[in-house]
Amino acid sequence: MLASLLPPIICSWRSPGVLMGRSASVVMHTSRGVAVGSAPSIESLRSSLLSTSVGSTLAEEAALRAEGNGPPHTDALLRLFGKSESDVRVTLYRDTAAWCPYCQKVWLLLEEKQIPFRVKKINMRSYGDKPPSFLQRVPGGLLPALELDDQFYTDSLPIMALLDGTFDQGPKMIPARGTADRKRAEKLLQLERELFGAWCRLTFQPGLGIFDGHKRYFLEVMSRVDTALGETEGPWFLGGDAPSLVDLQYVSHVERMVASVAFWKGMKIRGDGAGFSNLDRWLQVRLHCAAFEERPAYMATKSDPYTHVMDIPPQYGPGAMLRASKSLPSVPYLTFDTTLLLSGGAHCLCSARAVRDTQGSASTKRSLLLTGSWVATAAGAYPCASTAPATT
């Protein structure tokens, strides 16, 4: 039965030599047997890629990134926004895997306000030791960390407030004291912490709680968040044409909630039938609203659902699987087929980030190639039940 699901040809590398630029023995499994040949070297593959239009575009983008220009990207180590390197006062220390939700908030604010900055990548504890030079400056090793004018700061929310108060360019992220918007922002930040607590209680404890109490509480808090999003004309919590600090504080964890409650609890909080239409408007472009998924900065920092459910356990602890979630229908906004993941394991790795970012999470190390509706991994090739395009 399994053989009928596999594609006609699967390549299995026999030697790590190809990773060092040498040819390696490769076994070609075909419907007519096994043939042994020679794999091309990395150099020849790179040369072939660069000769294509896609390869040329990728090379041009890499050159722009090296100069601090071009669109946002996880590989960018310098962002100038038309300024010179002498204007850079900020260095952001963020995780190597580009997954940390607290780093994501600060990263988004720097991009949205177009504050010139440098990036230094530091391992999260789950993925390796932190450099001694970093621990000397930040003894606790906390991420994100920010260096501004030779002073170090930690904790994402105070960092964002510091940046907004120091740099005038770009959208104002925090309303002025004494205004109605300031009071609203303070209440919404309290609600975000309540939502985070409700999500943790639901996700990391067995079942759905006594009499489904954890589920009901999470949905009740999410309903209040959805109502708050509906109180302004545009998609943003405080209105206006751009996200505020409140939006940035919410989005990184809401993004992870969408994936995790679907995977572990069989719950759908995005899309038709979920009941949170304002949340959809906030995330996805509808009715010409420039919501998060229209913004290049967010799309560059946004991860995929498979990476989330693989990276949440080493950072937060293991999610508690609900057996009934195996009957969950496919969630259209996810880039993998949820029922396949829940019933048979991680066979469908439709993850653009996984191919782009080869450092960090388990999924980024497993995923090797996306080929149409087929996914090739280190364990073999499997058909995607859903061929929805990846969104990152």
Side-chain angles (χ1 to χ4, degrees), residues 70-311:
H73 196 281
T74 56
D75 291 342
L77 300 180
L78 176 66
R79 299 288 287 151
L80 293 178
F81 307 106
K83 302 290 182 65
S84 66
E85 285 199 57
S86 61
D87 295 317
V88 178
R89 298 168 55 191
V90 172
T91 299
L92 171 65
Y93 292 79
R94 66 163 176 82
D95 64 306
T96 304
W99 185 83
C100 168
Y102 301 99
C103 298
Q104 183 184 14
K105 303 172 197 289
V106 177
W107 184 5
L108 280 170
L109 184 140
L110 288 165
E111 291 283 349
E112 289 290 345
K113 289 183 72 71
Q114 296 195 349
I115 300 170
F117 66 102
R118 292 185 177 86
V119 174
K120 292 190 178 179
K121 298 180 181 181
I122 306 293
N123 284 328
M124 289 191 287
R125 290 186 178 90
S126 299
Y127 299 129
D129 295 332
K130 299 178 188 292
S133 59
F134 177 72
L135 293 175
Q136 288 175 0
R137 303 295 299 272
V138 185
L142 295 176
L143 292 175
L146 188 105
E147 185 177 6
L148 171 63
D149 298 336
D150 299 321
Q151 295 294 316
F152 261 75
Y153 303 89
T154 59
D155 196 343
S156 58
L157 202 55
I159 287 174
M160 290 192 287
L162 172 68
L163 290 170
D164 192 53
T166 304
F167 296 92
D168 294 330
Q169 71 262 37
K172 189 65 178 172
M173 292 287 169
I174 303 176
R177 293 181 182 276
T179 63
D181 277 348
R182 178 64 170 248
K183 293 180 181 179
R184 175 176 170 82
E186 291 171 354
K187 290 181 179 179
L188 287 169
L189 290 176
Q190 293 173 0
L191 179 60
E192 189 273 336
R193 289 292 82 192
E194 187 177 357
L195 178 66
F196 179 80
W199 170 69
C200 288
R201 189 181 305 174
L202 171 66
T203 303
F204 304 111
Q205 294 188 20
L208 299 174
I210 299 175
F211 304 121
D212 293 347
H214 296 340
K215 175 182 177 180
R216 288 187 289 105
Y217 178 53
F218 173 76
L219 292 176
E220 187 273 326
V221 179
M222 182 62 79
S223 180
R224 281 188 272 145
V225 172
D226 190 71
T227 297
L229 282 166
E231 292 170 348
T232 57
E233 292 185 5
W236 312 117
F237 276 107
L238 301 183
D241 299 326
S244 68
L245 179 144
V246 175
D247 297 283
L248 304 187
Q249 178 70 2
Y250 271 84
V251 72
S252 61
H253 278 117
V254 168
E255 176 187 320
R256 287 151 179 78
M257 291 173 192
V258 170
S260 59
V261 299
F263 184 80
W264 281 299
K265 303 299 178 179
M267 294 167 56
K268 177 181 174 182
I269 60 171
R270 233 195 126 175
D272 295 338
F276 302 114
S277 59
N278 296 315
L279 184 74
D280 278 344
R281 181 183 68 159
W282 182 62
L283 290 169
Q284 188 189 33
V285 181
R286 290 188 178 185
L287 301 177
H288 306 291
C289 290
F292 267 117
E293 289 174 355
E294 176 74 2
R295 306 185 81 81
Y298 178 66
M299 295 308 291
T301 66
K302 179 178 182 286
S303 193
D304 61 276
Y306 179 80
T307 297
H308 284 323
V309 298
M310 289 292 100
D311 275 3

